[in-house]
Amino acid sequence: ARAMGLRGLRVVCLLLLAVTSVCQPVPLGGAVSFALLAKTYISGTTSTIQGLGGGHIGAVTYVELPTMTVDASNMFSTTTQSDGLVYISSMHAEPTKSLVADALSDMDEAYADAWSRPMSEPASTNPAEIGGHTYTPGVYHWPAAVGIASDIYIKGDANDLFIFKV
């Protein structure tokens, strides 16, 4: 089993860890290439962003990262905060607009699929803070926004599924 830590994040929507499962995996489509994907903007992160599909970051309107640089092709940007590329529909040339639009459509389908799955574990007794806990494979649900002020641990392997619904 492998554990990974996350710290300093404020979770306000569905968080999917893109791993497969003996249960039906969530079909991520083109969204699997993105470690961070938003319909509006991404701002203020100081974390390093890494992902299975290259750690790409995508948004429709705006991405604000301290070290972001637009590539000469104007199709993407780079940042020292990610091992992938940054794609912004409103800023970069085609095919970026289509790439981000397709990934967002696939994200919506994945969200609907994951949200429809029944809870396998009871929600935390303290819904405002999930830090300091170890989570095993399953579907978790909290009725309101949660914070991660200290490490959370995702304990499992490549065949496990974790869905956090907030």
Side-chain angles (χ1 to χ4, degrees), residues 15-103:
L15 169 66
L16 291 177
L17 298 178
V19 294
T20 60
S21 171
V22 292
C23 298
Q24 206 55 359
V26 174
L28 299 175
V32 75
S33 297
F34 291 85
L36 191 57
L37 186 59
K39 287 186 175 183
T40 56
Y41 66 93
I42 299 166
S43 174
T45 182
T46 57
S47 301
T48 299
I49 301 163
Q50 297 177 317
L52 299 175
H56 298 316
I57 301 167
V60 172
T61 57
Y62 190 69
V63 175
E64 179 185 359
L65 297 171
T67 60
M68 196 170 75
T69 305
V70 178
D71 183 74
S73 70
N74 197 34
M75 288 193 232
F76 61 88
S77 294
T78 58
T79 177
T80 58
Q81 291 178 264
S82 174
D83 57 352
L85 303 174
V86 179
Y87 297 100
I88 308 166
S89 289
S90 65
M91 184 171 139
H92 296 122
E94 282 293 352
T96 299
K97 291 178 189 336
S98 299
L99 175 74
V100 172
D102 291 346

